[in-house]
Amino acid sequence: MTHHVTGPFTAKLAPQAPDNDAARSAKLGRMSIDKQFHGDLEAVSKGEMLSAVTDVKGSAGYVAIERVTGTLAGRNGSFVLQHNATMTRGVPQLAIVVIPDSGTDQLTGLSGSMGIQIEGGQHFYEFDYTLPEAD
């Protein structure tokens, strides 16, 4: 059975200096991610993001990996999210999925996908997931 949960989250992105000449010459960005989720997902996450912008206004892309640790609908554990996003002249496409077999403890077997909405400067998540029944 697929479950659907929503809630607010805060995100802090901290730019990191490129660590090699190839990254500097390609004009790639790197940031650390620090999030706090609230609602049915009470958790924190830590991660890394790589990004690139183009010379065309509104066109860019990023990939990211973040480990989420906390409680999902009362079940404790962690899991890893993978982001893949592009923006084509201001039109966004975003896919965020749970990496298979990344769930731990009471979140073992978790699968799903997440969406992000921004309203009035506030971030919200929408998380559709499946999880084996608790023993």
Side-chain angles (χ1 to χ4, degrees), residues 22-134:
R24 279 186 287 281
S25 67
K27 299 179 185 174
L28 301 179
R30 185 168 65 97
M31 296 190 185
S32 65
I33 301 169
D34 185 0
K35 291 183 184 173
Q36 292 192 345
F37 295 90
H38 301 288
D40 287 321
L41 176 60
E42 282 291 334
V44 298
S45 78
K46 305 289 184 190
E48 292 285 324
M49 174 192 299
L50 294 175
S51 63
V53 296
T54 70
D55 292 334
V56 176
K57 184 177 179 174
S59 292
Y62 85 85
V63 294
I65 301 285
E66 65 180 306
R67 179 172 303 281
V68 179
T69 305
T71 304
L72 174 60
R75 294 173 69 170
N76 295 315
S78 69
F79 57 94
V80 180
L81 292 173
Q82 177 178 309
H83 300 232
N84 182 19
T86 58
M87 184 170 292
T88 305
R89 296 180 179 101
V91 178
Q93 287 189 316
L94 173 64
I96 305 172
V97 298
V98 175
I99 293 179
D101 299 316
S102 65
T104 66
D105 300 323
Q106 295 175 322
L107 300 179
T108 299
L110 177 72
S111 63
S113 61
M114 184 177 282
I116 295 174
Q117 304 296 325
I118 303 173
E119 299 172 10
Q122 174 69 47
H123 290 73
F124 297 90
Y125 66 87
E126 293 189 15
F127 190 27
D128 293 315
Y129 69 93
T130 59
L131 194 55
E133 293 299 317

